[in-house]
Amino acid sequence: MLKQRILTALAIIVPVFLLIAFAPSGLVAGFVLLVIALGAFEWARLGSFEGQGARVAFAVLVLAVPAGLLLIWGDAGWTGFHAWVLALGVVWWGLVFLGLPAYRPGLGARRWGRWLLRGAAFPTLAPAALALIWLHDSAPMLVIYLILLVAAADTGAFFIGRRFGRSPLAPDISPGKTREGLLGALAATLPVALIGAWAFGLQAMDALVFVLLGIVVALVSVAGDLQESVLKREAGAKDSGMLLPGHGGILDRVDSLTAAAPVFAAGLLWTALFAQGG
């Protein structure tokens, strides 16, 4: 299984990084929206929508939010309406972060709980799409940095948790995740954030803000992972799909990124560390 995961990861990450680094912004935006649409389709399946037609309709509805905002406001929206969408994304993940400890299995069995899980796709996926597109517009390397940061957090959590994990982080959601793994995630992101600050040529105070933002982003990315775990647990599914051998579905790969992207983008906007087109 580990070998399959590595091979699939390599097959994905090389072309994706090349696309991010060299493709024009419009093509990258189209790719991001495609990923969001596929993720929304998987979300519909986990949300107990019956039939392909209902799932496709749900995916189109979710996709219409970021696509519509880009179509209507375009680049002019980054300092206005799009920024508010990113802010709503940050608020959403703050609520998720606070609400996860209160979760108990059986949420999806209640009608209101089932619709809550379904509706969560909108504040999860739409701000993430806009954030990734804005980051690429600002500097393609910011997207690559964010992916590496989240990957470092996931890797640190996995290996440290596997070796030293003793204290469950969220036993009702994902029994395998531990507090030691969380500390491992934060520790693994620190060198990536430091290298990123150096690579972007930030001065001392800006570098400090950038590193602290990276740690916050890594912490929030864990909430993205746990939120998807709730969705899968309520659906009785091990993976969100079967599109990626050894990894599961699209959501299984981007769950942490959906939380990290709007927080990172909003942090850069609010601190003015990077200007669009810089």
Side-chain angles (χ1 to χ4, degrees), residues 9-21:
L10 290 175
I12 295 172
I13 201 166
V14 172
V16 167
F17 274 17
L18 289 174
L19 177 72
I20 293 170

Side-chain angles (χ1 to χ4, degrees), residues 32 36 62 65-66 69 78 82-93 120-135 257-266:
V32 169
I36 292 301
V62 173
V65 177
L69 290 176
W78 290 125
H82 294 160
W84 279 105
V85 174
L86 294 182
L88 289 173
V90 173
V91 171
W92 168 251
W93 286 110
F122 292 89
T124 297
L125 298 177
L130 290 175
L132 290 169
I133 292 169
W134 176 78
L135 287 169
L257 192 61
T258 58
V263 173
F264 183 55

Side-chain angles (χ1 to χ4, degrees), residues 21-246:
F22 300 109
S25 294
L27 185 59
V28 173
F31 175 73
V32 169
L33 293 176
L34 173 62
V35 171
I36 292 301
L38 293 172
F41 182 83
E42 292 179 352
W43 199 298
R45 184 180 71 85
L46 295 174
S48 302
F49 279 101
E50 299 294 338
Q52 296 289 86
R55 295 170 186 174
V56 169
F58 180 79
V60 170
L61 195 59
V62 173
L63 180 63
V65 177
L69 290 176
L70 289 171
L71 184 63
I72 295 171
W73 277 279
D75 293 342
W78 290 125
T79 56
F81 199 80
H82 294 160
W84 279 105
V85 174
L86 294 182
L88 289 173
V90 173
V91 171
W92 168 251
W93 286 110
L95 293 174
V96 170
F97 198 84
L98 294 173
L100 284 170
Y103 166 77
R104 295 296 180 271
L107 177 64
R110 303 177 179 90
R111 186 173 183 179
W112 66 267
R114 184 164 62 252
W115 281 104
L116 175 63
L117 292 173
R118 291 171 174 176
F122 292 89
T124 297
L125 298 177
L130 290 175
L132 290 169
I133 292 169
W134 176 78
L135 287 169
H136 188 268
D137 282 349
S138 299
M141 288 306 296
L142 286 172
V143 181
I144 293 178
Y145 163 79
L146 178 62
I147 294 173
L148 292 175
L149 188 76
V150 172
D154 287 344
T155 303
F158 177 77
F159 285 105
I160 297 299
R162 191 174 186 179
R163 177 65 180 85
F164 301 105
R166 297 292 184 273
S167 307
L169 177 64
D172 287 330
I173 300 175
S174 183
K177 291 182 173 60
T178 63
R179 295 177 183 176
E180 292 81 3
L182 176 61
L183 294 176
L186 298 179
T189 61
L190 183 58
V192 177
L194 288 169
I195 293 172
W198 170 79
F200 288 119
L202 298 177
Q203 298 300 314
M205 289 306 299
D206 285 345
L208 177 61
V209 172
F210 188 77
V211 170
L212 291 175
L213 177 60
I215 293 173
V216 171
V217 166
L219 186 62
V220 173
S221 74
V222 176
D225 190 354
L226 290 174
Q227 180 189 243
E228 199 223 351
S229 294
V230 168
L231 193 62
K232 291 189 293 186
R233 176 172 284 271
E234 292 300 320
K238 182 178 182 295
D239 298 313
S240 66
M242 298 180 291
L243 188 61
L244 307 175

